[in-house]
Amino acid sequence: LKAAWIKIRLRPCIGPRLGSAMGGGASAQQQKEDFEKASPEDLRSVLAELSPDQVAKIKEALEKSAAAAAAGPCPGPVDAGALTVIAKDYKGLLDQPSEPKFKGALVQIYVRSAPYGGSDKSSNGHRYDSIPFANGMINANMSCQLLHYVHDEHDKFFEVCKNFNFIIVRCNPGQIKADGGDQAKFDDGMRAMRKAGIQVWPSPDVMEKMGAKDALCKVANLNIGLEDTLAYYTTEDFSAGFKKTMAFQ
């Protein structure tokens, strides 16, 4: 009798109610209690009486709930719950150290108008190399939380950043603007972090002066460079320079 009563109560909860936004009849609290009391057999019995469309709606709701639970803020010692969560998951990320030597963040930008958030992103919303970067820090006993910069919450974002010891910036040039943000405003925010004693790698000034590929040309004559490193901007320069470097010993 108890099982039959639960079934009677469940049927209107997940059957006809789907078509009327779960309205009328038992309250939300009663529905919750009925589901908690029901056995797997009770639920299967009720689901068997539903139409394919109704079952599909239940499946979709369960999948969305699971995705929302998986995509919370990146775990770590700094509370980032005030920021919008862009990532779908953090699969592959190692557990953060319980007592990290330093607390770090890896900052990314997700272009909301672009497929997957940009050509450098995986389907989880992270850059392909973000989790390996973070795991390297974790293996060195430093925490490293994955964050996404959303320009709509600029001030809130940098308030959270104040709680870290270091910030790794992994935002491709042009992507902040492509998402509707202001690169200069973002850079100024990172400069403020540096003034506050928080390490920023790379800093905006380094990116402006050394961010282009011809940075290798600027260090060609230093101990870390190669003398035959050249940048070609015309066909004629390429023809002359390439032949010369091929003969360089």
Side-chain angles (χ1 to χ4, degrees):
L1 289 174
K2 180 180 178 182
W5 173 245
I6 291 174
K7 182 176 178 181
I8 291 170
R9 288 281 294 275
L10 281 174
R11 188 181 294 111
C13 292
I14 61 175
R17 282 170 186 261
L18 287 172
S20 57
M22 305 295 284
S27 67
Q29 181 61 32
Q30 287 175 328
Q31 293 176 29
K32 181 180 178 182
E33 292 174 358
D34 290 338
F35 273 107
E36 290 174 348
K37 294 175 182 177
S39 67
E41 290 74 20
D42 294 329
L43 294 174
R44 280 195 292 269
S45 177
V46 174
L47 288 171
E49 299 177 13
L50 301 181
S51 70
D53 287 343
Q54 291 172 329
V55 173
K57 288 180 181 179
I58 293 174
K59 182 180 178 181
E60 181 183 359
L62 291 172
E63 289 175 348
K64 287 183 177 179
S65 296
C74 185
V78 174
D79 182 5
L83 302 180
T84 298
V85 176
I86 300 294
K88 293 182 179 178
D89 60 62
Y90 303 97
K91 291 179 180 177
L93 184 66
L94 299 175
D95 292 337
Q96 305 284 357
S98 57
E99 296 183 6
K101 289 189 294 184
F102 300 102
K103 296 178 290 185
L106 188 148
V107 175
Q108 312 165 90
I109 175 68
Y110 188 93
V111 183
R112 286 167 282 185
S113 61
Y116 296 106
S119 59
D120 60 335
K121 305 298 187 307
S122 183
S123 59
N124 59 9
H126 301 294
R127 283 178 59 104
Y128 293 103
D129 56 6
S130 291
I131 288 179
F133 260 92
N135 285 342
M137 296 294 169
I138 293 170
N139 281 327
N141 198 31
M142 294 180 281
S143 65
C144 191
Q145 293 170 246
L146 304 178
L147 307 178
H148 283 87
Y149 173 71
V150 179
H151 69 87
D152 312 84
E153 50 190 36
H154 175 89
D155 294 340
K156 192 186 301 182
F157 177 84
F158 280 100
E159 280 299 315
V160 172
C161 286
K162 290 178 181 178
N163 298 299
F164 293 103
N165 302 120
F166 67 86
I167 300 170
I168 301 172
V169 180
R170 300 293 290 157
C171 301
N172 266 4
Q175 288 194 336
I176 289 177
K177 182 178 180 181
D179 190 50
D182 184 334
Q183 181 71 52
K185 186 176 181 181
F186 175 83
D187 290 346
D188 286 343
M190 287 301 172
R191 289 188 181 99
M193 295 298 102
R194 283 181 54 80
K195 288 181 180 178
I198 300 169
Q199 295 296 315
V200 177
W201 305 314
S203 71
D205 296 323
V206 168
M207 281 296 293
E208 287 180 6
K209 297 173 182 177
M210 303 290 286
K213 303 303 181 186
D214 64 356
L216 295 174
C217 299
K218 298 177 182 179
V219 300
N221 295 314
L222 301 180
N223 291 337
I224 60 172
L226 295 171
E227 295 177 41
D228 62 335
T229 304
L230 302 171
Y232 306 113
Y233 299 99
T234 67
T235 304
E236 292 74 20
D237 287 345
F238 174 73
S239 178
F242 185 73
K243 292 174 182 177
K244 181 179 178 181
T245 56
M246 287 299 98
F248 182 79
Q249 296 293 327

